Amino acid sequence: MKILLVGSGGREHALALGLQADAACTELHVAPGNPGIATIATIHPVAVTDNDAICDLATKLEVDLVVIGPEVPLVNGVADVLRSAGFAVFGPSKAAAQLEGSKDFAKGVMRDAGVPTAHSFTCTKQSEIEIALDTFGAPYVVKDDGLAAGKGVVVTDDRDVALAHALTCTRVVIEEYLAGPEISLFGISDGRNILPMQPAQDFKRAFDGDLGPNTGGMGAYSPLAWAPDDIVEETYEKVLAPMIAEMAARGTPFVGLLYAGLALTDDGIRVIEFNARFGDPETQVLIPRLVTPLATLLYKAATDDLDDEVLHWRDESAVTVVLAAGGYPESPKTGGVITLKPAVEKTQIFHSGTTQDGASLLSSGGRVLTITGMGADLTEARDRAYRVISQIALEGSFYRSDIALNASVAEKGN
Ligand code: AMP
Ligand code: GLY
């Protein structure tokens, strides 16, 4: 099977590694990829925003499967262009990707499917916004309806800050605050069936102790020993399966990865958000733990063939830690020289924002590298990931030192 993977981050590096490890994958091409991906696949300089160029590349390479990593091309309809040209695609249509592209759309589908989520109002006028803010009270949760590259959500106790953010949005969703730990639970769907993956937890704030600004994610781990035993089953029954059924009933089946961001509240699970693609950095812990051959799995999803599929997992823990450029997330400094040490057993260095300049590896984004450690438990996995990240040199860079720390301590206490 020849595969084209679209994207250039740590998530795509992890997916590339998983696809490559499946013997069914005979050729792996990635557009545009990055220097880390280039060591395991053939990369092609095609922009993820150019639907026609991606389709032309798939045609030229005669691939059997196209896997779309990021949300922007999905919301731009790249999967529709590829499907019209006859390709099997892992990634939702433009219509189905609206689950990520519009928070108001996602709320409407959840309402029709009976999926538990925060109560909300969608507003366009200041008067509506003020009524919504005062109905729910503090903490205020204000979400830009559209894609906003991680900058769309503001959670604050300050009504003026909430109002100011709401007024910058053309359309805004204001919702009830959900208290409780957050988890990410992904499902792989062929449009009719959805196979839940194991849960992961992501660390969104920039600094230790969950301080500092929201980011794309500073680290993640899996499995979650502290989560209820039936969390996967419950999420399948209350969230994933009803969403897939509702999207199919609307005539816009969701084929690809449905990312459920959940809050475990005192009243039960609630959906915080959906994404229409694998999460970053959760993918960097889930793919190394997945035993089921990835290329075959995603091909089956893309060709409506998941009826008899089950997922198998390694009984090992994984922890991933992001090395971020100085100034991330507001104004990351790019162009710094990165010095890597050779890899250590049971660790993997995934490239997130790097570029090759002659013999030098340079930083080219806010999140630069993602380092995953595997181990018999979270403590061992953390030790490995931190041993590697502490030896990487990049001036001004930083990373959180508490990824999976509480969970690893709790696990030791069990
Ligand atoms: P998102 O960009 O949708 O992932 O939201 C960013 C973060 O905002 C989430 O990870 C949560 O920590 C927080 N958040 C979003 N919605 C809510 C909510 N209704 N209640 C509490 N926190 C929320
Ligand atoms: N880790 C959060 C996301 O991928 O959106």
Side-chain angles (χ1 to χ4, degrees):
M1 188 188 338
K2 288 193 202 176
I3 303 173
L4 172 61
L5 168 66
V6 175
S8 64
R11 162 183 54 209
E12 286 77 21
H13 193 172
L15 290 172
L17 202 68
L19 292 168
Q20 193 57 276
D22 182 344
C25 174
T26 52
E27 263 183 45
L28 180 61
H29 298 270
V30 186
N34 66 37
I37 295 174
T39 64
I40 55 169
T42 309
I43 63 171
H44 302 268
V46 169
V48 300
T49 46
D50 191 339
N51 289 356
D52 291 336
I54 292 167
C55 193
D56 288 348
L57 181 63
T59 306
K60 190 180 89 184
L61 297 169
E62 299 181 324
V63 296
D64 304 292
L65 172 67
V66 186
V67 177
I68 313 294
E71 63 275 19
V72 168
L74 292 167
V75 171
N76 284 346
V78 74
D80 307 75
V81 173
L82 288 159
R83 286 199 182 99
S84 303
F87 291 103
V89 185
F90 184 82
S93 65
K94 181 175 185 155
Q98 283 302 300
L99 285 179
E100 176 163 3
S102 164
K103 304 223 182 262
D104 178 57
F105 175 82
K107 286 285 183 190
V109 180
M110 283 189 265
R111 187 187 55 228
D112 291 352
V115 169
T117 185
H119 296 295
S120 69
F121 294 107
T122 301
C123 314
T124 50
K125 293 207 242 6
Q126 178 158 353
S127 55
E128 296 168 349
I129 292 168
E130 300 218 31
I131 291 169
L133 292 174
D134 295 334
T135 302
F136 294 126
Y140 302 100
V141 181
V142 181
K143 303 184 168 185
D144 193 335
D145 177 58
L147 280 189
K151 298 199 171 71
V153 178
V154 167
V155 180
T156 175
D157 283 325
D158 186 332
R159 191 179 180 281
D160 292 340
V161 172
L163 179 61
H165 178 62
L167 292 174
T168 65
C169 310
T170 317
R171 209 149 69 126
V172 64
V173 173
I174 293 175
E175 68 180 31
E176 165 197 15
Y177 178 81
L178 298 172
E182 285 178 42
I183 67 168
S184 307
L185 210 150
F186 305 164
I188 293 181
S189 183
D190 61 5
R192 294 178 299 114
N193 303 286
I194 183 157
L195 304 179
M197 298 183 82
Q198 290 211 347
Q201 193 169 41
D202 175 19
F203 291 74
K204 287 212 158 80
R205 300 293 187 134
F207 309 128
D208 281 8
D210 289 330
L211 298 175
N214 248 318
T215 70
M218 294 297 292
Y221 68 95
S222 174
L224 312 183
W226 54 267
D229 288 342
D230 61 352
I231 188 69
V232 174
E233 211 170 283
E234 188 181 359
T235 305
Y236 172 80
E237 278 166 18
K238 294 191 177 155
V239 178
L240 299 177
M243 289 300 287
I244 292 304
E246 175 62 26
M247 292 303 283
R250 289 174 175 227
T252 51
F254 186 98
V255 176
L257 187 122
L258 183 61
Y259 170 135
L262 304 169
L264 308 187
T265 74
D266 289 342
D267 302 322
I269 58 171
R270 296 283 182 277
V271 173
I272 288 190
E273 62 162 345
F274 284 112
N275 292 317
R277 36 95 195 154
F278 282 95
D280 190 336
E282 294 95 322
T283 303
Q284 290 92 309
V285 290
L286 291 173
I287 297 300
R289 295 194 56 231
L290 183 69
V291 174
T292 309
L294 187 65
T296 309
L297 174 66
L298 302 190
Y299 183 78
K300 285 185 172 179
T303 55
D304 192 17
D305 191 21
L306 285 181
D307 293 288
D308 303 316
E309 190 70 14
V310 270
L311 300 185
H312 296 286
W313 297 91
R314 240 175 279 287
D315 190 20
E316 274 188 309
S317 298
V319 173
T320 200
V321 185
V322 170
L323 183 84
Y328 178 71
E330 287 92 359
S331 50
K333 181 179 173 298
T334 58
V337 177
I338 305 163
T339 314
L340 297 176
K341 291 268 165 52
V344 172
E345 192 205 1
K346 292 211 174 261
T347 68
Q348 184 68 46
I349 298 177
F350 296 112
H351 289 228
S352 296
T354 69
T355 181
Q356 197 73 42
D357 181 20
S360 303
L361 184 66
L362 305 181
S363 60
S364 64
R367 292 189 290 182
V368 180
L369 298 165
T370 318
I371 290 80
T372 298
M374 301 281 292
D377 58 15
L378 289 172
T379 303
E380 200 174 281
R382 286 186 86 240
D383 285 350
R384 290 203 168 104
Y386 278 109
R387 202 177 316 147
V388 171
I389 204 168
S390 66
Q391 290 177 355
I392 298 172
L394 169 62
E395 204 187 308
S397 66
F398 69 98
Y399 55 86
R400 279 184 64 158
S401 68
D402 62 350
I403 304 299
L405 178 60
N406 290 342
S408 69
V409 172
E411 193 179 57
K412 285 283 182 212
N414 281 340

